């Protein structure tokens, strides 16, 4: 899989605070060890370099764009198929109407022939 899939499957986002320091405020994001284990980026499992995270997010965005473009192409193909099916259905409905009109005309003719034959008997 690509970067996007790996991020989604192996790098969860957590809500966390810095251990033993900081101002006690909450943060959200991946843990350095998860990023390191998934991608082998950086110098250690205890710190995520901002350029590494920027690169991962850029690659993930590119992966998402590729997915969106592929899905858009599929949607376009399905729309084309649906339009062709609508056209075919319209043709079939016209043919059915013509057959129904022909059947009705034949029934009228049959009725007249039946009446004429009864008059000869």
């Amino acid at each position: 899989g690509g970067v996007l899939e790996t991020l989604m499957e192996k790098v969860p986002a957590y809500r966390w605070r810095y251990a033993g320091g900081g101002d006690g405020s909450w943060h959200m994001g991946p843990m350095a060890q998860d990023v390191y284990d998934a991608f082998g980026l950086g110098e250690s499992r205890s710190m995520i370099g901002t350029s590494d995270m920027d690169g991962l997010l850029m690659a993930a965005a590119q992966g998402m764009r590729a997915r969106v473009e592929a899905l858009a192409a599929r949607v376009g193909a399905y729309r084309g198929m649906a339009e062709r099916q609508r056209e075919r259905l319209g043709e079939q409905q016209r043919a059915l109407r013509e057959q129904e009109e022909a059947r009705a005309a034949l029934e009228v003719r049959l009725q007249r022939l039946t009446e004429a034959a009864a008059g000869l008997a």
Side-chain angles (χ1 to χ4, degrees):
V3 171
L4 178 63
E5 290 80 9
T6 302
L7 276 172
M8 299 287 90
E9 294 171 10
K10 296 185 178 183
V11 183
Y14 297 98
R15 189 168 182 239
W16 51 271
R17 292 181 180 169
Y18 284 105
D23 61 5
S25 61
W26 285 98
H27 301 274
M28 181 173 271
M31 297 292 171
Q33 60 270 26
D34 293 331
V35 172
Y36 186 84
D37 292 347
F39 298 101
L41 297 175
E43 297 174 16
S44 72
R45 297 179 79 238
S46 62
M47 182 180 209
I48 303 171
T50 58
S51 63
D52 291 330
M53 202 67 229
D54 291 346
L56 288 172
L57 294 175
M58 176 81 132
Q62 290 169 344
M64 184 60 71
R65 180 179 181 184
R67 274 188 175 183
V68 168
E69 288 173 352
L71 289 172
R74 286 176 64 187
V75 166
Y78 289 139
R79 283 185 176 150
M81 288 171 51
E83 182 58 32
R84 288 188 297 280
Q85 289 175 346
R86 275 191 292 276
E87 289 170 2
R88 186 170 175 220
L89 178 60
E91 292 167 4
Q92 290 172 343
Q93 288 172 332
R94 282 188 292 280
L96 180 59
R97 278 193 302 274
E98 290 172 3
Q99 289 174 355
E100 288 173 346
E101 290 169 4
R103 181 193 50 80
L106 287 172
E107 284 182 1
V108 168
R109 241 177 112 191
L110 178 60
Q111 180 64 32
R112 288 182 186 153
L113 289 171
T114 303
E115 291 170 359
L120 294 175

